[in-house]
Every structure is written in C-alpha cells, then in structure tokens.
C-alpha cells in the first residue's frame, strides 16, 4: 500500500514532484532532492521568474568573520525580459573580486587546492569581466551545476517542460524560504572556521565540497541533510 503524503494528501508518497530553481552551486538540500533521495521525481523549473535576494544569483558561505554572501549582480532589465533564461549578469563585481573572497575563506580547506583550478577557470569564463559586458545567468548556473555533478558523480534533474504550480512543502525549493533552508535539518560536518563559530547550516554546497571532497560529499549526502517535515 502506498503511503499518503501528509503535505499533499491527494498525492501518494513517491509521486510528489520536487521542483528546483536554477541556482549556482545551491545548498545540500537542492542536491538531496536532485538525487531523488526523497523517493520521488524531480525537475528544474527554467521558467521561474527571478527572485531578488534569493540563491538564484548568490552563494552563502562562511569565513573567519562568519557567514558572507558571494553575489552575482544582475543587469537592469525590463519587465518583459525578467524570465530566468533571459536574466543577464552585469560586470558590477568582477570575477577576480568574487573569487578572491572564496580563496580567502577556503584557501586552507582540505580540497581547495585540488578543486580550485577548474572552478576558477569557470569563474572567468562565465562571469562578465569587462565594463558594460553582460553574460547569461542561466549559462553560469548550468556550468557550475554540471561541474559539481561531474566532480561528485551526481545527477542533474531534467528541466520541467510544464512546471507544476507552487505547493507548500519542503520539496518545492522555488519558495525562497525553503530554498534558504526552512523546513530542512542540516547535520554537522567539519567546517573551516568551526573553532570560531558554531556549525553554519544551509550554506552553498561549495562549503561542503571544499571540506569533505567529492567522494565523501556524495556518500554522506543523505545523512547530511533531510526534510524536517516528512510524509507520514
């Protein structure tokens, strides 16, 4: 007998579709759903409208002084071109600047030197580096997802042809609050500055990757994060 999903009673457990936004190196719960650890299908909504101050164009990491944001500024656009595939990155913050903040925070992480060359090359290839230059946010996000998937042997869900309407459950990460980690539990792993701060949850998966490395991140993913509210 199929169990019923208490969050969406009309849908059987195993049939609830996880919907993910397109994000550059999203947190672990994004990848948890992408690997179908929730025992259901999953897809990426490429037609979602851009949300300001969301993880769709930023990463949250942690450094010596606590959490910090690595932003990827969006060029000004009219309302007619605000769908995600048409969102353009501006050169307001140059690749060297954002990469320097990551290098400062994670230069001492166990896997930084091993992973940094390829990642830095992506930084300079996909981010605008000249005044007035613009590059697509979607290509930047896809490049990072593909790099992460290849590095860690993870799966990337197929794009949604006709995305489902928003639903109030922890598996629809298009909700900005849930994308930021609401309704999810994050279990501890060693962090670079844990001796200065308590464990910092819901960071970009880049934090976990630099510390644990590709193999351990994949192997431990189901235990590192799980939805706080699960189907009954």
């Amino acid at each position: 007998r199929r169990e019923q999903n208490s969050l969406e009673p009309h849908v059987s457990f195993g049939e609830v579709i996880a919907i993910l936004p397109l994000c550059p190196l999203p947190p672990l719960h994004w990848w948890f759903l992408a690997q179908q650890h929730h025992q259901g299908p999953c897809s990426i909504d490429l037609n979602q409208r851009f949300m300001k101050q969301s993880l769709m164009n930023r990463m949250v990491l942690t450094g010596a002084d606590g959490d910090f944001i690595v932003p990827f500024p969006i060029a000004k656009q009219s309302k007619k071109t605000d769908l995600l595939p048409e969102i353009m990155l501006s050169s307001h913050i140059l690749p060297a600047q954002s990469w320097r903040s990551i290098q400062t925070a994670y230069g001492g992480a166990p896997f930084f030197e091993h992973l940094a060359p390829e990642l830095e090359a992506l930084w300079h290839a996909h981010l605008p580096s000249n005044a007035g230059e613009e590059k697509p946010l979607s290509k930047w996000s896809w490049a990072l997802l593909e790099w992460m998937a290849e590095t860690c042997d993870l799966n990337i869900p197929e794009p949604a042809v006709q995305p489902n309407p928003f639903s109030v459950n922890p598996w629809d990460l298009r909700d900005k609050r849930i994308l930021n980690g609401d309704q999810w539990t994050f279990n501890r792993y060693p962090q670079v500055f844990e001796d200065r701060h308590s464990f910092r949850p819901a960071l970009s998966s880049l934090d976990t990757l630099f510390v644990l490395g590709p193999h351990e991140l994949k192997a431990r993913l189901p235990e590192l994060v799980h939805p706080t509210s699960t189907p009954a």
Side-chain angles (χ1 to χ4, degrees), residues 21-222:
L22 185 59
C23 301
L25 294 178
L28 291 179
H29 54 307
W30 193 103
W31 289 104
F32 177 98
L33 295 176
Q35 309 318 297
Q36 299 184 358
H37 290 313
H38 64 300
Q39 302 181 31
C42 186
S43 62
I44 297 177
D45 184 357
L46 296 184
N47 294 316
Q48 181 187 358
R49 290 183 176 272
F50 177 72
M51 291 185 294
K52 293 182 178 180
Q53 297 184 342
S54 77
L55 298 181
M56 295 173 73
N57 72 315
R58 59 174 61 189
M59 300 176 191
V60 180
L61 296 167
T62 189
D65 298 323
D67 293 358
F68 67 96
I69 292 174
V70 179
F72 306 107
I74 301 300
K76 292 183 179 180
Q77 300 191 8
S78 68
K79 293 182 179 180
K80 294 182 179 180
T81 59
D82 62 354
L83 294 178
L84 184 57
E86 299 172 327
I87 294 293
M88 303 297 289
L89 296 168
S90 76
S91 58
H92 180 65
I93 297 178
L94 298 179
Q97 293 175 270
S98 56
W99 178 254
R100 192 178 303 117
S101 64
I102 291 177
Q103 187 173 29
T104 299
Y106 292 94
F111 288 87
F112 180 81
E113 289 189 3
H114 173 68
L115 299 167
E118 287 186 357
L119 190 56
E120 185 178 10
L122 288 176
W123 229 259
H124 290 281
H126 291 275
L127 292 176
S129 57
N130 300 313
E133 184 180 17
E134 297 179 0
K135 292 187 177 181
L137 172 61
S138 58
K139 289 187 177 180
W140 166 237
S141 298
W142 269 113
L144 291 184
L145 290 179
E146 289 175 343
W147 175 81
M148 181 82 174
E150 181 178 354
T151 300
C152 300
D153 191 25
L154 297 171
N155 298 319
I156 300 177
E158 293 293 328
V161 178
Q162 293 182 334
N164 285 18
F166 274 90
S167 57
V168 183
N169 73 71
W171 299 337
D172 191 340
L173 300 192
R174 294 173 299 178
D175 184 315
K176 185 165 63 174
R177 297 165 301 172
I178 299 178
L179 179 58
N180 290 337
D182 286 8
Q183 301 185 37
W184 286 82
T185 297
F186 298 85
N187 295 320
R188 179 192 169 274
Y189 59 88
Q191 292 179 327
V192 177
F193 295 99
E194 195 173 359
D195 59 332
R196 305 188 190 187
H197 316 291
S198 59
F199 174 72
R200 315 304 291 178
L203 299 176
S204 166
S205 50
L206 192 59
D207 180 87
T208 321
L209 181 59
F210 281 151
V211 173
L212 298 183
H215 177 76
E216 190 170 356
L217 185 154
K218 178 182 179 179
R220 294 183 57 190
L221 181 58

